[in-house]
Amino acid sequence: MHIPPRVLTVAGSDSGGGAGIQADLKTMLALGTHGMSVVTAVTAQNSLGVQGAWELPAEAVRAQFRSVVDDIGVQAVKTGMLSSAELVETVAALLADLRVPVVIDPVGVSKHGDALLAASALDAVRGALLPTATVATPNLDEVAQLTGVRVEGEGDMRRAAAAILDFGPRWALIKGGHLTAGEGSGDSAVDLLTDGTEEHWLRAPRHDNRHTHGTGCTLASALAAQLAKGDTVPQAAAAAKNYVTGALAAGFRLGAGIGPVDHGWRMRGAH
């Protein structure tokens, strides 16, 4: 009997299905792994934004985690929305006992600009959560929020990565998708993966598509799925970038605002 690699997401729920645990589980399935979830918060969310968010108690998060890990087991973990210092510290303590790859997506703000992390939780992310990471995957806004480093062009991405690595993750994947063509990235979406010694610049064509909801969650989940399958970090990052690029290109309109990327693009034969 074939048992697929098992991947756990610890994140918030997106009722619109474009980001959060919904995006994570779709990504994990698309990449041939068995996805499992620890829900940290419930959001009322659609293509227009986040209308409400309700954090789960730390006890409920801890119980979900233990239930899955102690019985089913995991081969990689990905974290997303952890809205308070208490949840950040709870999850960090749970992750500290694991001996599997951990991808930390330090979610701070939604695609629509809604805050998803309390300012009071930033110290806990820096001091407790990031040190558990095999790979941390901040976007440029999250880099600025956590380190104060503002990336204006590709030349600043090394400095951003160094600042993130100072908090203890083994690798930093700085996502440069927010850079515009006039900021040194040309017509490419460029990310920098580094452990402080090795450097891997990941480039992909930009697509003229505004339906980009869920890109950060999707990339981190794809990375975790590939690590669970046995890829090295550079191999996993390259494969995750390829998957997200295809999902972006195939993104579709749902609702009146920013639609989701298409997590099932490979199954539908897109691209």
Side-chain angles (χ1 to χ4, degrees):
M1 178 186 299
H2 170 67
I3 300 175
R6 293 146 290 161
V7 190
L8 178 64
T9 171
V10 183
S13 169
D14 173 3
S15 55
I21 58 169
Q22 286 82 355
D24 298 340
L25 294 174
K26 292 173 187 178
T27 299
M28 292 168 187
L29 177 63
L31 294 176
T33 64
H34 175 69
M36 304 167 291
S37 62
V38 171
V39 181
T40 61
V42 176
T43 68
Q45 188 171 168
N46 56 25
S47 70
L48 298 174
V50 179
Q51 292 80 44
W54 299 267
E55 180 182 307
L56 267 68
E59 178 183 2
V61 171
R62 192 179 297 109
Q64 291 176 82
F65 186 95
R66 291 263 62 95
S67 178
V68 171
V69 172
D70 294 347
D71 174 46
I72 301 172
V74 297
Q75 288 162 291
V77 179
K78 173 261 179 187
T79 72
M81 178 184 176
L82 304 173
S83 51
S84 69
E86 182 183 18
L87 279 188
V88 170
E89 290 164 357
T90 296
V91 171
L94 291 166
L95 294 175
D97 293 332
L98 292 183
R99 296 295 178 265
V100 301
V102 174
V103 177
I104 301 295
D105 185 14
V107 176
V109 179
S110 79
K111 184 68 67 179
H112 305 90
D114 303 291
L116 299 175
L117 179 72
S120 58
L122 289 173
D123 282 343
V125 172
R126 298 181 189 107
L129 190 63
L130 286 176
T132 71
T134 306
V135 192
T137 64
N139 63 29
L140 302 187
D141 291 336
E142 290 154 357
V143 166
Q145 190 179 39
L146 289 165
T147 71
V149 174
R150 300 201 172 274
V151 176
E152 305 294 340
E154 282 188 29
D156 298 323
M157 292 179 74
R158 284 192 183 96
R159 192 161 53 95
I164 290 293
L165 289 171
D166 280 346
F167 294 122
R170 286 170 47 200
W171 292 82
L173 177 58
I174 307 300
K175 300 178 294 192
H178 291 177
L179 289 176
T180 65
E183 293 170 329
S185 61
D187 59 356
S188 296
V190 59
D191 305 329
L192 171 61
L193 173 73
T194 181
D195 63 354
T197 302
E198 289 184 43
E199 271 189 8
H200 302 268
W201 292 89
L202 307 175
R203 299 180 187 276
R206 287 187 180 274
H207 294 284
D208 185 18
N209 184 350
R210 70 186 181 91
H211 301 301
T212 58
H213 185 48
T215 48
C217 303
T218 300
L219 181 70
S221 296
L223 184 53
Q226 293 299 132
L227 291 172
K229 293 193 290 188
D231 279 4
T232 65
V233 172
Q235 288 170 338
K241 177 80 167 179
N242 178 268
Y243 173 74
V244 171
T245 300
L248 270 165
F252 49 84
R253 178 170 182 170
L254 287 180
I258 300 172
V261 300
D262 183 359
H263 299 95
W265 65 274
R266 284 178 175 167
M267 293 180 276
R268 282 184 273 281
H271 300 274

